[in-house]
Amino acid sequence: GDSVTQMEGPVTLSEEAFLTINCTYTATGYPSLFWYVQYPGEGLQLLLKATKADDKGSNKGFEATYRKETTSFHLEKGSVQVSDSAVYFCALREDSGGYNKLIFGAGTRLAVHP
Amino acid sequence: ETGVTQTPRHLVMGMTNKKSLKCEQHLGHNAMYWYKQSAKKPLELMFVYSLEERVENNSVPSRFSPECPNSSHLFLHLHTLQPEDSALYLCASSQVDSMNTEAFFGQGTRLTVV
């Protein structure tokens, strides 16, 4: 079945450092890809998405490009802030008759220090 | 009130208790989901209701019983749970048959079974 693999954390960075969180997927079709973020004590919030190959999703300084040839959707940010500390989840949406059957990675915890 | 609201936020229950988790969405969506988030494990999709009909049940034990009385409300009835059922239970909603739909999550119910 479809699956998502993302790098294990925690990732610890200093403020203004460059961030990369790797995500690769396995899917039989051409799924939509997502990054969700979970701040402490909260639910998941959609951070960005891409629906087809070579699409770039971006939001709040974060970017990820849908790479079909490498089946990857790595999350990047040029300069992280303390407020970016959270758990980040990569996910794909299976084609299941329209409803959102999301397959998640295990999550990567990011800690940003001043 | 907007978005997806879950109550209670925290719940402690004994193994012989019966309790219910509630989810309400104010987004006009027609699909609702229950996910389980355990420590160090990927999010697990438990149930999906689309147009008030259960369309997915991922081999969830019968001690978890979902109910979707209308498109805005979703319940998860719990009885005779085990300690390993302790987790964060997340509700989500989305619009079916929309190409750009995405899932919106509630803040979750932190369940502890003692």
Side-chain angles (χ1 to χ4, degrees):
Chain A
D2 295 0
S3 65
V4 175
T5 303
Q6 58 183 109
M7 61 189 289
E8 288 190 29
V11 174
T12 303
L13 295 173
S14 298
E15 207 165 24
E16 299 184 2
F18 184 85
L19 168 71
T20 299
I21 300 179
N22 290 337
C23 172
T24 57
Y25 66 91
T26 302
T28 52
Y30 300 98
S32 295
L33 302 173
F34 304 83
W35 277 100
Y36 280 84
V37 58
Q38 185 176 32
Y39 297 103
E42 302 292 324
L44 273 68
Q45 301 175 28
L46 179 67
L47 181 60
L48 54 84
K49 66 180 181 181
T51 57
K52 61 183 187 295
D54 300 325
D55 267 2
K56 177 186 282 188
S58 61
N59 185 27
K60 300 181 181 179
F62 291 89
E63 293 183 340
T65 301
Y66 190 143
R67 301 286 189 199
K68 191 176 70 171
E69 63 276 12
T70 55
T71 61
S72 65
F73 193 55
H74 304 321
L75 182 69
E76 297 182 335
K77 187 175 185 182
S79 175
V80 293
Q81 305 300 312
V82 172
S83 57
D84 294 326
S85 298
V87 181
Y88 292 82
F89 293 91
C90 185
L92 66 81
R93 184 173 69 205
E94 288 189 346
D95 182 7
S96 298
Y99 66 84
N100 276 275
K101 185 172 182 178
L102 289 169
I103 307 297
F104 286 90
T108 302
R109 183 175 300 278
L110 170 66
V112 181
H113 298 289
Chain B
E1 193 169 355
T2 58
V4 181
T5 304
Q6 291 186 242
T7 55
R9 291 292 306 276
H10 301 273
L11 177 63
V12 179
M13 60 185 288
M15 288 189 284
T16 58
N17 291 159
K18 289 185 180 180
K19 296 287 184 183
S20 296
L21 310 185
K22 179 183 176 182
C23 177
E24 184 174 2
Q25 59 96 2
H26 307 273
L27 300 168
H29 290 161
N30 56 13
M32 297 187 76
Y33 313 76
W34 280 116
Y35 283 86
K36 177 183 179 183
Q37 185 178 25
S38 305
K40 299 182 181 179
K41 291 177 67 175
L43 277 80
E44 303 169 57
L45 178 63
M46 301 175 71
F47 300 105
V48 181
Y49 277 83
S50 177
L51 303 172
E52 300 168 36
E53 179 182 344
R54 192 190 309 180
V55 295
E56 182 127 358
N57 177 348
N58 279 341
S59 302
V60 179
S62 60
R63 57 186 184 268
F64 295 90
S65 175
E67 179 190 1
C68 186
N70 55 61
S71 60
S72 298
H73 294 86
L74 183 66
F75 296 89
L76 188 62
H77 304 300
L78 315 171
H79 64 96
T80 60
L81 294 192
Q82 304 299 311
E84 60 264 29
D85 297 322
S86 298
L88 181 68
Y89 289 84
L90 291 164
C91 173
S93 72
S94 73
Q95 183 64 21
V96 174
D97 296 328
S98 170
M99 290 300 293
N100 292 317
T101 187
E102 59 219 28
F104 289 81
F105 285 79
Q107 294 181 302
T109 295
R110 173 70 62 188
L111 173 67
T112 303
V113 181
V114 298

